[in-house]
Amino acid sequence: MTERPPLDTPQAGVVLDVDYTKGAFELVLVNAGDQVAHDVSVVFSRPLIGARNVRVSELPLFRRLGVLRPGREVRVFLDSATDLLRRRKSNTFRATVTWRDGMGRAHQAQYRHDLDAYRGLPEVIIP
């Protein structure tokens, strides 16, 4: 469990978010804190299968990322909204993110995402 430092203590805060842009989903791993995050790892509650049947949740990037500096984000294409939302009845998953701060203290955060919330949005098709 995350130990809470005093409010004035700089810390890393690693987030696994989902970005929906121009009809496509990307997973975004970002250090939203102001300190370096070490040994970053993401465990998904279920396999995430992306475009071309890539097992996105099993990519080495999510197993052990050595360093994620403050403000740095890593984007991973998941799939087009049309294909992803057509394939599965439920697109809910949890991502548990763990990392260590510069003092070696372990931190963990869990994020729940429901991609079905994006169903029915109008799409802009640009030739």
Side-chain angles (χ1 to χ4, degrees):
M1 192 51 79
T2 303
E3 295 177 29
R4 296 279 181 198
L7 292 177
D8 60 345
T9 303
Q11 61 181 343
V14 183
V15 177
L16 187 283
D17 199 4
V18 175
D19 191 17
Y20 174 81
T21 305
K22 297 181 182 176
F25 287 109
E26 290 181 316
L27 299 178
V28 184
L29 185 63
V30 62
N31 182 349
D34 51 10
Q35 291 292 307
V36 173
H38 301 271
D39 302 325
V40 179
S41 170
V42 182
V43 175
F44 295 91
S45 61
R46 65 170 183 79
L48 295 182
I49 310 299
R52 296 189 176 147
N53 289 321
V54 171
R55 292 184 160 279
V56 174
S57 54
E58 295 178 15
L59 292 172
L61 167 75
F62 295 121
R63 289 192 203 125
R64 190 152 201 106
L65 182 61
V67 175
L68 191 61
R69 71 179 185 266
R72 174 79 168 127
E73 69 178 36
V74 179
R75 293 179 162 271
V76 177
F77 175 72
L78 183 56
D79 207 343
S80 72
T82 301
D83 289 344
L84 188 135
L85 295 173
R86 181 178 18 178
R87 269 198 317 267
R88 297 187 65 93
K89 290 183 180 178
S90 174
N91 286 294
T92 301
F93 67 92
R94 284 180 314 283
T96 302
V97 182
T98 57
W99 70 94
R100 295 195 177 279
D101 62 22
M103 303 290 289
R105 292 177 296 217
H107 299 271
Q108 177 177 311
Q110 190 172 86
Y111 304 97
R112 182 183 176 280
H113 295 284
D114 184 356
L115 304 184
D116 292 324
Y118 296 89
R119 284 188 190 276
L121 290 179
E123 291 186 44
V124 176
I125 300 173
I126 301 172

Short mmCIF file of all heavy atoms in Angstrom, two decimals, residues 21-86:
data_model
loop_
_atom_site.label_atom_id
_atom_site.label_comp_id
_atom_site.label_asym_id
_atom_site.label_seq_id
_atom_site.Cartn_x
_atom_site.Cartn_y
_atom_site.Cartn_z
N THR A 21 -8.86 9.38 -29.14
CA THR A 21 -8.63 10.48 -30.07
C THR A 21 -8.87 10.00 -31.49
O THR A 21 -8.32 8.98 -31.91
CB THR A 21 -7.18 11.00 -29.96
OG1 THR A 21 -6.91 11.35 -28.61
CG2 THR A 21 -6.97 12.22 -30.84
N LYS A 22 -9.69 10.75 -32.23
CA LYS A 22 -9.95 10.46 -33.64
C LYS A 22 -10.32 9.00 -33.89
O LYS A 22 -9.83 8.36 -34.80
CB LYS A 22 -8.75 10.86 -34.49
CG LYS A 22 -8.47 12.34 -34.43
CD LYS A 22 -7.30 12.72 -35.29
CE LYS A 22 -7.02 14.21 -35.17
NZ LYS A 22 -5.83 14.62 -35.90
N GLY A 23 -11.18 8.48 -33.02
CA GLY A 23 -11.70 7.13 -33.22
C GLY A 23 -10.76 6.01 -32.84
O GLY A 23 -10.96 4.86 -33.22
N ALA A 24 -9.70 6.31 -32.07
CA ALA A 24 -8.75 5.28 -31.67
C ALA A 24 -8.49 5.36 -30.17
O ALA A 24 -8.51 6.43 -29.57
CB ALA A 24 -7.44 5.44 -32.43
N PHE A 25 -8.23 4.20 -29.58
CA PHE A 25 -7.87 4.12 -28.17
C PHE A 25 -6.37 3.92 -28.02
O PHE A 25 -5.77 3.10 -28.73
CB PHE A 25 -8.57 2.93 -27.49
CG PHE A 25 -10.04 3.13 -27.28
CD1 PHE A 25 -10.96 2.42 -28.02
CD2 PHE A 25 -10.50 4.02 -26.32
CE1 PHE A 25 -12.32 2.58 -27.82
CE2 PHE A 25 -11.86 4.20 -26.11
CZ PHE A 25 -12.77 3.48 -26.86
N GLU A 26 -5.79 4.64 -27.06
CA GLU A 26 -4.40 4.44 -26.68
C GLU A 26 -4.34 4.29 -25.17
O GLU A 26 -5.10 4.94 -24.45
CB GLU A 26 -3.53 5.64 -27.05
CG GLU A 26 -3.30 5.84 -28.52
CD GLU A 26 -2.41 7.04 -28.79
OE1 GLU A 26 -2.61 8.11 -28.16
OE2 GLU A 26 -1.50 6.91 -29.63
N LEU A 27 -3.45 3.42 -24.71
CA LEU A 27 -3.14 3.36 -23.29
C LEU A 27 -2.03 4.36 -23.05
O LEU A 27 -1.07 4.43 -23.83
CB LEU A 27 -2.69 1.96 -22.89
CG LEU A 27 -3.71 0.84 -23.12
CD1 LEU A 27 -3.11 -0.50 -22.74
CD2 LEU A 27 -4.99 1.10 -22.34
N VAL A 28 -2.14 5.13 -21.98
CA VAL A 28 -1.15 6.16 -21.67
C VAL A 28 -0.62 5.91 -20.26
O VAL A 28 -1.37 6.00 -19.29
CB VAL A 28 -1.75 7.58 -21.77
CG1 VAL A 28 -0.68 8.63 -21.53
CG2 VAL A 28 -2.43 7.78 -23.11
N LEU A 29 0.67 5.60 -20.18
CA LEU A 29 1.34 5.42 -18.91
C LEU A 29 2.13 6.70 -18.65
O LEU A 29 2.99 7.07 -19.45
CB LEU A 29 2.27 4.21 -18.98
CG LEU A 29 2.98 3.81 -17.70
CD1 LEU A 29 1.98 3.38 -16.63
CD2 LEU A 29 3.97 2.69 -17.98
N VAL A 30 1.81 7.39 -17.56
CA VAL A 30 2.41 8.71 -17.33
C VAL A 30 2.82 8.87 -15.87
O VAL A 30 2.13 8.38 -14.97
CB VAL A 30 1.43 9.84 -17.76
CG1 VAL A 30 0.15 9.80 -16.95
CG2 VAL A 30 2.06 11.20 -17.65
N ASN A 31 3.94 9.54 -15.67
CA ASN A 31 4.36 9.93 -14.33
C ASN A 31 3.85 11.35 -14.11
O ASN A 31 4.43 12.31 -14.62
CB ASN A 31 5.88 9.87 -14.18
CG ASN A 31 6.33 10.22 -12.78
OD1 ASN A 31 5.56 10.71 -11.96
ND2 ASN A 31 7.60 9.98 -12.50
N ALA A 32 2.76 11.46 -13.38
CA ALA A 32 2.13 12.76 -13.14
C ALA A 32 2.72 13.45 -11.92
O ALA A 32 2.29 14.54 -11.56
CB ALA A 32 0.63 12.57 -12.95
N GLY A 33 3.71 12.83 -11.29
CA GLY A 33 4.33 13.41 -10.11
C GLY A 33 5.53 14.27 -10.47
O GLY A 33 5.77 14.58 -11.63
N ASP A 34 6.30 14.64 -9.45
CA ASP A 34 7.46 15.49 -9.68
C ASP A 34 8.78 14.82 -9.28
O ASP A 34 9.79 15.48 -9.11
CB ASP A 34 7.30 16.84 -8.97
CG ASP A 34 6.92 16.70 -7.51
OD1 ASP A 34 6.96 15.57 -6.98
OD2 ASP A 34 6.59 17.72 -6.91
N GLN A 35 8.75 13.48 -9.15
CA GLN A 35 9.95 12.71 -8.88
C GLN A 35 10.00 11.51 -9.83
O GLN A 35 8.98 11.08 -10.34
CB GLN A 35 9.96 12.19 -7.43
CG GLN A 35 10.13 13.29 -6.40
CD GLN A 35 11.51 13.89 -6.46
OE1 GLN A 35 12.51 13.18 -6.40
NE2 GLN A 35 11.59 15.21 -6.60
N VAL A 36 11.19 10.99 -10.05
CA VAL A 36 11.36 9.82 -10.92
C VAL A 36 10.70 8.60 -10.29
O VAL A 36 10.79 8.38 -9.09
CB VAL A 36 12.87 9.55 -11.15
CG1 VAL A 36 13.08 8.26 -11.92
CG2 VAL A 36 13.52 10.72 -11.89
N ALA A 37 10.01 7.83 -11.13
CA ALA A 37 9.44 6.54 -10.71
C ALA A 37 10.34 5.44 -11.25
O ALA A 37 10.77 5.48 -12.40
CB ALA A 37 8.02 6.38 -11.26
N HIS A 38 10.65 4.46 -10.41
CA HIS A 38 11.54 3.35 -10.78
C HIS A 38 10.76 2.04 -10.78
O HIS A 38 9.78 1.88 -10.05
CB HIS A 38 12.68 3.24 -9.76
CG HIS A 38 13.51 4.47 -9.65
ND1 HIS A 38 14.61 4.72 -10.43
CD2 HIS A 38 13.38 5.57 -8.85
CE1 HIS A 38 15.13 5.89 -10.12
NE2 HIS A 38 14.40 6.43 -9.15
N ASP A 39 11.22 1.09 -11.59
CA ASP A 39 10.64 -0.25 -11.62
C ASP A 39 9.13 -0.22 -11.78
O ASP A 39 8.38 -0.84 -11.02
CB ASP A 39 11.02 -1.04 -10.36
CG ASP A 39 12.52 -1.14 -10.19
OD1 ASP A 39 13.23 -1.24 -11.21
OD2 ASP A 39 13.00 -1.10 -9.04
N VAL A 40 8.67 0.51 -12.78
CA VAL A 40 7.24 0.66 -13.04
C VAL A 40 6.69 -0.61 -13.67
O VAL A 40 7.29 -1.16 -14.60
CB VAL A 40 6.98 1.88 -13.96
CG1 VAL A 40 5.49 2.03 -14.25
CG2 VAL A 40 7.55 3.15 -13.34
N SER A 41 5.56 -1.06 -13.18
CA SER A 41 4.94 -2.28 -13.69
C SER A 41 3.43 -2.11 -13.69
O SER A 41 2.87 -1.46 -12.80
CB SER A 41 5.34 -3.44 -12.78
OG SER A 41 4.61 -4.59 -13.07
N VAL A 42 2.76 -2.69 -14.69
CA VAL A 42 1.30 -2.64 -14.78
C VAL A 42 0.77 -4.06 -14.93
O VAL A 42 1.23 -4.80 -15.80
CB VAL A 42 0.83 -1.79 -15.99
CG1 VAL A 42 -0.70 -1.72 -16.02
CG2 VAL A 42 1.44 -0.39 -15.96
N VAL A 43 -0.19 -4.41 -14.10
CA VAL A 43 -0.87 -5.71 -14.20
C VAL A 43 -2.32 -5.42 -14.52
O VAL A 43 -2.98 -4.64 -13.82
CB VAL A 43 -0.74 -6.51 -12.88
CG1 VAL A 43 -1.56 -7.79 -12.96
CG2 VAL A 43 0.71 -6.80 -12.57
N PHE A 44 -2.82 -6.04 -15.58
CA PHE A 44 -4.19 -5.84 -16.03
C PHE A 44 -5.08 -6.95 -15.48
O PHE A 44 -4.64 -8.10 -15.35
CB PHE A 44 -4.25 -5.82 -17.55
CG PHE A 44 -3.52 -4.65 -18.15
CD1 PHE A 44 -2.19 -4.74 -18.49
CD2 PHE A 44 -4.17 -3.44 -18.37
CE1 PHE A 44 -1.51 -3.66 -19.03
CE2 PHE A 44 -3.51 -2.36 -18.90
CZ PHE A 44 -2.17 -2.46 -19.24
N SER A 45 -6.33 -6.62 -15.19
CA SER A 45 -7.26 -7.60 -14.63
C SER A 45 -7.68 -8.67 -15.63
O SER A 45 -8.17 -9.73 -15.23
CB SER A 45 -8.51 -6.89 -14.09
OG SER A 45 -9.17 -6.21 -15.15
N ARG A 46 -7.50 -8.39 -16.89
CA ARG A 46 -7.81 -9.37 -17.94
C ARG A 46 -6.93 -9.05 -19.14
O ARG A 46 -6.41 -7.94 -19.26
CB ARG A 46 -9.29 -9.32 -18.31
CG ARG A 46 -9.71 -8.00 -18.94
CD ARG A 46 -11.13 -8.11 -19.50
NE ARG A 46 -11.54 -6.91 -20.15
CZ ARG A 46 -11.18 -6.55 -21.39
NH1 ARG A 46 -10.39 -7.32 -22.12
NH2 ARG A 46 -11.61 -5.42 -21.93
N PRO A 47 -6.76 -10.00 -20.03
CA PRO A 47 -5.95 -9.72 -21.23
C PRO A 47 -6.59 -8.62 -22.08
O PRO A 47 -7.81 -8.60 -22.27
CB PRO A 47 -5.96 -11.06 -21.99
CG PRO A 47 -6.33 -12.09 -20.98
CD PRO A 47 -7.22 -11.40 -19.98
N LEU A 48 -5.78 -7.71 -22.56
CA LEU A 48 -6.23 -6.69 -23.50
C LEU A 48 -5.68 -7.05 -24.87
O LEU A 48 -4.46 -7.05 -25.08
CB LEU A 48 -5.72 -5.30 -23.09
CG LEU A 48 -6.24 -4.74 -21.79
CD1 LEU A 48 -5.68 -3.34 -21.57
CD2 LEU A 48 -7.76 -4.71 -21.77
N ILE A 49 -6.58 -7.39 -25.78
CA ILE A 49 -6.21 -7.77 -27.13
C ILE A 49 -6.46 -6.56 -28.02
O ILE A 49 -7.58 -6.06 -28.09
CB ILE A 49 -7.01 -8.98 -27.65
CG1 ILE A 49 -6.97 -10.11 -26.63
CG2 ILE A 49 -6.52 -9.40 -29.02
CD1 ILE A 49 -5.60 -10.65 -26.32
N GLY A 50 -5.43 -6.09 -28.70
CA GLY A 50 -5.55 -4.91 -29.53
C GLY A 50 -5.61 -5.26 -31.01
O GLY A 50 -5.92 -6.39 -31.40
N ALA A 51 -5.30 -4.26 -31.83
CA ALA A 51 -5.28 -4.43 -33.29
C ALA A 51 -4.34 -5.57 -33.67
O ALA A 51 -3.32 -5.80 -33.02
CB ALA A 51 -4.83 -3.13 -33.94
N ARG A 52 -4.73 -6.28 -34.70
CA ARG A 52 -3.96 -7.42 -35.22
C ARG A 52 -3.71 -8.48 -34.16
O ARG A 52 -2.68 -9.16 -34.16
CB ARG A 52 -2.65 -6.94 -35.83
CG ARG A 52 -2.86 -6.05 -37.03
CD ARG A 52 -1.59 -5.77 -37.74
NE ARG A 52 -1.88 -4.99 -38.93
CZ ARG A 52 -1.09 -4.09 -39.43
NH1 ARG A 52 0.07 -3.84 -38.87
NH2 ARG A 52 -1.42 -3.44 -40.52
N ASN A 53 -4.63 -8.59 -33.21
CA ASN A 53 -4.58 -9.60 -32.14
C ASN A 53 -3.33 -9.51 -31.26
O ASN A 53 -2.90 -10.50 -30.68
CB ASN A 53 -4.73 -11.01 -32.71
CG ASN A 53 -6.14 -11.25 -33.20
OD1 ASN A 53 -7.10 -10.81 -32.55
ND2 ASN A 53 -6.28 -11.90 -34.32
N VAL A 54 -2.75 -8.32 -31.15
CA VAL A 54 -1.60 -8.12 -30.27
C VAL A 54 -2.09 -8.16 -28.82
O VAL A 54 -3.07 -7.50 -28.47
CB VAL A 54 -0.91 -6.77 -30.57
CG1 VAL A 54 0.14 -6.45 -29.51
CG2 VAL A 54 -0.30 -6.78 -31.95
N ARG A 55 -1.41 -8.94 -28.00
CA ARG A 55 -1.73 -9.00 -26.57
C ARG A 55 -1.06 -7.82 -25.88
O ARG A 55 0.01 -7.93 -25.31
CB ARG A 55 -1.28 -10.33 -25.98
CG ARG A 55 -2.08 -11.50 -26.49
CD ARG A 55 -1.65 -12.79 -25.79
NE ARG A 55 -2.65 -13.80 -25.90
CZ ARG A 55 -3.74 -13.90 -25.14
NH1 ARG A 55 -3.96 -13.01 -24.21
NH2 ARG A 55 -4.61 -14.87 -25.30
N VAL A 56 -1.72 -6.69 -25.96
CA VAL A 56 -1.16 -5.43 -25.47
C VAL A 56 -0.83 -5.52 -23.98
O VAL A 56 0.21 -5.03 -23.53
CB VAL A 56 -2.14 -4.27 -25.76
CG1 VAL A 56 -1.64 -2.98 -25.14
CG2 VAL A 56 -2.33 -4.11 -27.26
N SER A 57 -1.67 -6.17 -23.21
CA SER A 57 -1.45 -6.27 -21.76
C SER A 57 -0.20 -7.08 -21.41
O SER A 57 0.26 -7.01 -20.28
CB SER A 57 -2.67 -6.87 -21.08
OG SER A 57 -3.01 -8.10 -21.67
N GLU A 58 0.35 -7.82 -22.36
CA GLU A 58 1.53 -8.64 -22.10
C GLU A 58 2.81 -8.03 -22.68
O GLU A 58 3.87 -8.67 -22.64
CB GLU A 58 1.32 -10.04 -22.65
CG GLU A 58 0.21 -10.79 -21.93
CD GLU A 58 -0.05 -12.16 -22.49
OE1 GLU A 58 0.81 -12.68 -23.26
OE2 GLU A 58 -1.11 -12.72 -22.18
N LEU A 59 2.74 -6.82 -23.20
CA LEU A 59 3.93 -6.18 -23.75
C LEU A 59 4.98 -5.99 -22.65
O LEU A 59 4.64 -5.65 -21.51
CB LEU A 59 3.59 -4.84 -24.38
CG LEU A 59 2.73 -4.89 -25.64
CD1 LEU A 59 2.30 -3.48 -26.05
CD2 LEU A 59 3.50 -5.56 -26.78
N PRO A 60 6.26 -6.21 -22.97
CA PRO A 60 7.32 -6.04 -21.97
C PRO A 60 7.32 -4.66 -21.31
O PRO A 60 7.67 -4.54 -20.14
CB PRO A 60 8.60 -6.25 -22.78
CG PRO A 60 8.20 -7.08 -23.95
CD PRO A 60 6.78 -6.67 -24.26
N LEU A 61 6.89 -3.66 -22.02
CA LEU A 61 6.80 -2.30 -21.46
C LEU A 61 6.02 -2.28 -20.16
O LEU A 61 6.36 -1.57 -19.22
CB LEU A 61 6.14 -1.37 -22.48
CG LEU A 61 5.70 -0.01 -21.97
CD1 LEU A 61 6.92 0.87 -21.78
CD2 LEU A 61 4.72 0.63 -22.90
N PHE A 62 4.95 -3.07 -20.08
CA PHE A 62 4.09 -3.07 -18.90
C PHE A 62 4.60 -3.98 -17.79
O PHE A 62 4.11 -3.92 -16.67
CB PHE A 62 2.66 -3.45 -19.27
CG PHE A 62 2.00 -2.45 -20.16
CD1 PHE A 62 1.52 -2.81 -21.41
CD2 PHE A 62 1.86 -1.13 -19.76
CE1 PHE A 62 0.90 -1.89 -22.24
CE2 PHE A 62 1.25 -0.19 -20.58
CZ PHE A 62 0.77 -0.58 -21.83
N ARG A 63 5.57 -4.82 -18.10
CA ARG A 63 6.09 -5.73 -17.08
C ARG A 63 7.12 -5.07 -16.19
O ARG A 63 7.14 -5.27 -14.98
CB ARG A 63 6.70 -6.96 -17.73
CG ARG A 63 5.67 -7.85 -18.34
CD ARG A 63 6.27 -9.19 -18.71
NE ARG A 63 5.45 -9.77 -19.75
CZ ARG A 63 5.91 -10.18 -20.91
NH1 ARG A 63 7.19 -10.11 -21.19
NH2 ARG A 63 5.09 -10.68 -21.79
N ARG A 64 8.02 -4.31 -16.80
CA ARG A 64 9.07 -3.68 -15.99
C ARG A 64 9.71 -2.56 -16.79
O ARG A 64 10.59 -2.78 -17.61
CB ARG A 64 10.11 -4.69 -15.58
CG ARG A 64 11.05 -4.11 -14.55
CD ARG A 64 11.59 -5.22 -13.66
NE ARG A 64 12.07 -4.70 -12.43
CZ ARG A 64 11.44 -4.84 -11.28
NH1 ARG A 64 10.30 -5.43 -11.23
NH2 ARG A 64 11.96 -4.37 -10.19
N LEU A 65 9.27 -1.36 -16.50
CA LEU A 65 9.87 -0.17 -17.08
C LEU A 65 10.81 0.40 -16.03
O LEU A 65 10.37 0.77 -14.94
CB LEU A 65 8.78 0.82 -17.46
CG LEU A 65 9.20 2.11 -18.13
CD1 LEU A 65 9.90 1.81 -19.47
CD2 LEU A 65 8.00 3.01 -18.36
N GLY A 66 12.09 0.44 -16.32
CA GLY A 66 13.10 0.81 -15.33
C GLY A 66 12.92 2.20 -14.74
O GLY A 66 13.02 2.38 -13.53
N VAL A 67 12.67 3.18 -15.59
CA VAL A 67 12.58 4.57 -15.13
C VAL A 67 11.49 5.29 -15.91
O VAL A 67 11.37 5.13 -17.12
CB VAL A 67 13.92 5.30 -15.34
CG1 VAL A 67 13.81 6.77 -14.99
CG2 VAL A 67 15.03 4.65 -14.54
N LEU A 68 10.72 6.10 -15.20
CA LEU A 68 9.74 6.97 -15.83
C LEU A 68 9.90 8.33 -15.17
O LEU A 68 9.53 8.52 -14.01
CB LEU A 68 8.32 6.42 -15.66
CG LEU A 68 7.22 7.09 -16.48
CD1 LEU A 68 7.48 6.96 -17.98
CD2 LEU A 68 5.86 6.49 -16.12
N ARG A 69 10.48 9.26 -15.90
CA ARG A 69 10.78 10.57 -15.31
C ARG A 69 9.52 11.42 -15.18
O ARG A 69 8.52 11.16 -15.85
CB ARG A 69 11.86 11.28 -16.12
CG ARG A 69 11.41 11.78 -17.46
CD ARG A 69 12.55 12.51 -18.19
NE ARG A 69 12.09 13.08 -19.42
CZ ARG A 69 12.16 12.49 -20.61
NH1 ARG A 69 12.72 11.30 -20.71
NH2 ARG A 69 11.69 13.09 -21.68
N PRO A 70 9.56 12.43 -14.34
CA PRO A 70 8.39 13.29 -14.14
C PRO A 70 7.90 13.90 -15.45
O PRO A 70 8.70 14.36 -16.28
CB PRO A 70 8.91 14.39 -13.20
CG PRO A 70 10.08 13.79 -12.51
CD PRO A 70 10.69 12.84 -13.51
N GLY A 71 6.60 13.86 -15.66
CA GLY A 71 6.00 14.43 -16.85
C GLY A 71 6.10 13.54 -18.08
O GLY A 71 5.49 13.84 -19.11
N ARG A 72 6.82 12.46 -18.02
CA ARG A 72 7.00 11.58 -19.17
C ARG A 72 5.78 10.70 -19.34
O ARG A 72 5.21 10.19 -18.39
CB ARG A 72 8.23 10.71 -18.96
CG ARG A 72 8.45 9.66 -20.01
CD ARG A 72 9.07 10.25 -21.25
NE ARG A 72 9.50 9.15 -22.10
CZ ARG A 72 9.16 9.03 -23.36
NH1 ARG A 72 8.41 9.95 -23.94
NH2 ARG A 72 9.57 8.02 -24.08
N GLU A 73 5.36 10.51 -20.60
CA GLU A 73 4.27 9.59 -20.89
C GLU A 73 4.67 8.66 -22.01
O GLU A 73 5.43 9.03 -22.90
CB GLU A 73 2.98 10.34 -21.24
CG GLU A 73 3.01 11.08 -22.55
CD GLU A 73 1.68 11.75 -22.86
OE1 GLU A 73 1.01 12.23 -21.94
OE2 GLU A 73 1.33 11.79 -24.04
N VAL A 74 4.17 7.46 -21.94
CA VAL A 74 4.38 6.45 -22.96
C VAL A 74 3.01 6.07 -23.48
O VAL A 74 2.13 5.69 -22.70
CB VAL A 74 5.10 5.21 -22.40
CG1 VAL A 74 5.29 4.16 -23.48
CG2 VAL A 74 6.43 5.59 -21.77
N ARG A 75 2.81 6.18 -24.81
CA ARG A 75 1.52 5.88 -25.43
C ARG A 75 1.63 4.57 -26.21
O ARG A 75 2.58 4.38 -26.95
CB ARG A 75 1.11 7.01 -26.38
CG ARG A 75 0.82 8.28 -25.65
CD ARG A 75 0.43 9.42 -26.61
NE ARG A 75 -0.22 10.45 -25.86
CZ ARG A 75 -1.51 10.52 -25.62
NH1 ARG A 75 -2.33 9.62 -26.14
NH2 ARG A 75 -2.02 11.48 -24.89
N VAL A 76 0.62 3.74 -26.03
CA VAL A 76 0.57 2.45 -26.73
C VAL A 76 -0.78 2.36 -27.44
O VAL A 76 -1.83 2.39 -26.78
CB VAL A 76 0.74 1.28 -25.75
CG1 VAL A 76 0.61 -0.05 -26.48
CG2 VAL A 76 2.08 1.38 -25.03
N PHE A 77 -0.74 2.25 -28.76
CA PHE A 77 -1.98 2.11 -29.53
C PHE A 77 -2.66 0.81 -29.13
O PHE A 77 -2.05 -0.25 -29.11
CB PHE A 77 -1.66 2.11 -31.03
CG PHE A 77 -2.86 1.84 -31.90
CD1 PHE A 77 -3.86 2.80 -32.04
CD2 PHE A 77 -3.01 0.63 -32.55
CE1 PHE A 77 -4.97 2.56 -32.83
CE2 PHE A 77 -4.12 0.38 -33.35
CZ PHE A 77 -5.10 1.35 -33.49
N LEU A 78 -3.94 0.90 -28.81
CA LEU A 78 -4.71 -0.29 -28.46
C LEU A 78 -5.49 -0.78 -29.68
O LEU A 78 -5.24 -1.87 -30.18
CB LEU A 78 -5.65 0.01 -27.30
CG LEU A 78 -6.48 -1.15 -26.76
CD1 LEU A 78 -5.61 -2.32 -26.34
CD2 LEU A 78 -7.35 -0.68 -25.61
N ASP A 79 -6.41 0.03 -30.18
CA ASP A 79 -7.20 -0.38 -31.34
C ASP A 79 -8.11 0.78 -31.74
O ASP A 79 -8.28 1.74 -30.99
CB ASP A 79 -8.06 -1.59 -31.00
CG ASP A 79 -8.39 -2.45 -32.21
OD1 ASP A 79 -8.23 -1.97 -33.35
OD2 ASP A 79 -8.79 -3.61 -32.02
N SER A 80 -8.71 0.64 -32.92
CA SER A 80 -9.72 1.62 -33.32
C SER A 80 -10.95 1.38 -32.45
O SER A 80 -11.22 0.25 -32.03
CB SER A 80 -10.08 1.47 -34.80
OG SER A 80 -10.83 0.29 -34.99
N ALA A 81 -11.69 2.43 -32.19
CA ALA A 81 -12.89 2.30 -31.37
C ALA A 81 -13.90 1.36 -32.03
O ALA A 81 -14.50 0.51 -31.38
CB ALA A 81 -13.51 3.67 -31.13
N THR A 82 -14.05 1.48 -33.35
CA THR A 82 -15.00 0.65 -34.08
C THR A 82 -14.69 -0.83 -33.88
O THR A 82 -15.56 -1.62 -33.53
CB THR A 82 -14.97 0.99 -35.58
OG1 THR A 82 -15.28 2.36 -35.73
CG2 THR A 82 -15.96 0.14 -36.36
N ASP A 83 -13.43 -1.22 -34.07
CA ASP A 83 -13.06 -2.63 -33.96
C ASP A 83 -13.11 -3.12 -32.51
O ASP A 83 -13.62 -4.21 -32.23
CB ASP A 83 -11.67 -2.88 -34.54
CG ASP A 83 -11.65 -2.76 -36.04
OD1 ASP A 83 -12.74 -2.80 -36.67
OD2 ASP A 83 -10.55 -2.63 -36.62
N LEU A 84 -12.60 -2.34 -31.60
CA LEU A 84 -12.55 -2.77 -30.21
C LEU A 84 -13.96 -2.92 -29.62
O LEU A 84 -14.26 -3.92 -28.98
CB LEU A 84 -11.74 -1.78 -29.36
CG LEU A 84 -11.48 -2.25 -27.95
CD1 LEU A 84 -10.02 -2.01 -27.58
CD2 LEU A 84 -12.39 -1.56 -26.98
N LEU A 85 -14.82 -1.96 -29.87
CA LEU A 85 -16.16 -2.01 -29.30
C LEU A 85 -17.04 -3.06 -29.98
O LEU A 85 -18.00 -3.54 -29.39
CB LEU A 85 -16.81 -0.63 -29.37
CG LEU A 85 -16.12 0.44 -28.52
CD1 LEU A 85 -16.72 1.81 -28.78
CD2 LEU A 85 -16.16 0.09 -27.05
N ARG A 86 -16.71 -3.45 -31.20
CA ARG A 86 -17.47 -4.48 -31.90
C ARG A 86 -17.09 -5.88 -31.40
O ARG A 86 -17.91 -6.78 -31.37
CB ARG A 86 -17.20 -4.38 -33.39
CG ARG A 86 -17.94 -5.40 -34.22
CD ARG A 86 -17.69 -5.25 -35.68
NE ARG A 86 -16.50 -4.45 -35.91
CZ ARG A 86 -15.97 -4.17 -37.08
NH1 ARG A 86 -16.53 -4.61 -38.16
NH2 ARG A 86 -14.90 -3.45 -37.20
#
